[in-house]
Amino acid sequence: MAGEPILIIEDNPSNLKLVKTLLKVEGYDVKTAINAEEALKLLNTFHPQLILMDLQLPGMDGLELTQKLKNDPQFQEIIVIALTAYAMTRDKEKAIAAGCDGFMTKPIDIKTFPDEIIQYLKSKKRNLGRAL
Ligand code: MN
């Protein structure tokens, strides 16, 4: 499994670089944005299967952007995985309430990260299969 389009939205340069590198090594088609505005612009032409969404973004935050995407028929099928430094249950609940399909805590575990991504992509395919 490789080549799936993935968008990373992350304002922290070192974390962005790490996640991007890990996904590129696996062969994914990776694009990045450092804020919601840039992400929305990119989404006009790039159609990711999965978005890694930092929740703490300057301007429109990741929760708000997720809600916006999940309320838009054009984007609601995209798998959105929240990335956050806060591992509090309340934050997970907020992420799920906003429409996130999963949750990863920073710093990410580079050993388990590639497999977690595969699992999320697979879950999407199962869901689509059921819908069809
Ligand atoms: Mn951030």
Side-chain angles (χ1 to χ4, degrees):
M1 176 133 85
E4 288 89 342
I6 296 181
L7 172 61
I8 309 163
I9 308 171
E10 165 68 273
D11 66 316
N12 178 291
S14 56
N15 198 52
L16 179 62
K17 192 179 171 195
L18 173 66
V19 173
K20 185 182 175 183
T21 302
L22 289 171
L23 291 174
K24 285 212 152 204
V25 163
E26 299 294 325
Y28 294 107
D29 177 13
V30 186
K31 295 234 184 309
T32 65
I34 58 165
N35 56 45
E37 195 188 9
E38 202 179 276
L40 287 167
K41 233 177 258 173
L42 204 69
L43 284 167
N44 286 321
T45 52
F46 184 64
H47 306 289
Q49 274 187 35
L50 183 145
I51 294 176
L52 283 164
M53 177 81 75
D54 178 26
L55 294 185
Q56 289 79 41
L57 293 170
M60 185 192 293
D61 69 19
L63 289 175
E64 201 182 333
L65 178 57
T66 300
Q67 267 171 338
K68 194 178 165 72
L69 296 176
K70 290 294 182 178
N71 284 322
D72 188 330
Q74 201 186 337
F75 302 122
Q76 61 191 193
E77 290 299 320
I78 303 172
I79 306 163
V80 178
I81 308 303
L83 275 177
T84 178
Y86 302 106
M88 307 288 286
T89 307
R90 202 172 56 89
D91 291 302
K92 287 190 187 179
E93 284 168 0
K94 272 200 222 165
I96 301 304
C100 292
D101 301 284
F103 195 92
M104 282 187 196
T105 306
K106 293 191 280 186
I108 58 158
D109 182 338
I110 61 167
K111 283 185 197 151
T112 59
F113 178 76
D115 199 53
E116 282 181 73
I117 294 297
I118 289 171
Q119 293 311 317
Y120 280 124
L121 288 169
K122 276 187 189 166
S123 70
K124 162 76 168 211
K125 282 188 179 158
R126 272 203 300 276
N127 289 341
L128 284 178
R130 243 182 259 130
L132 294 168

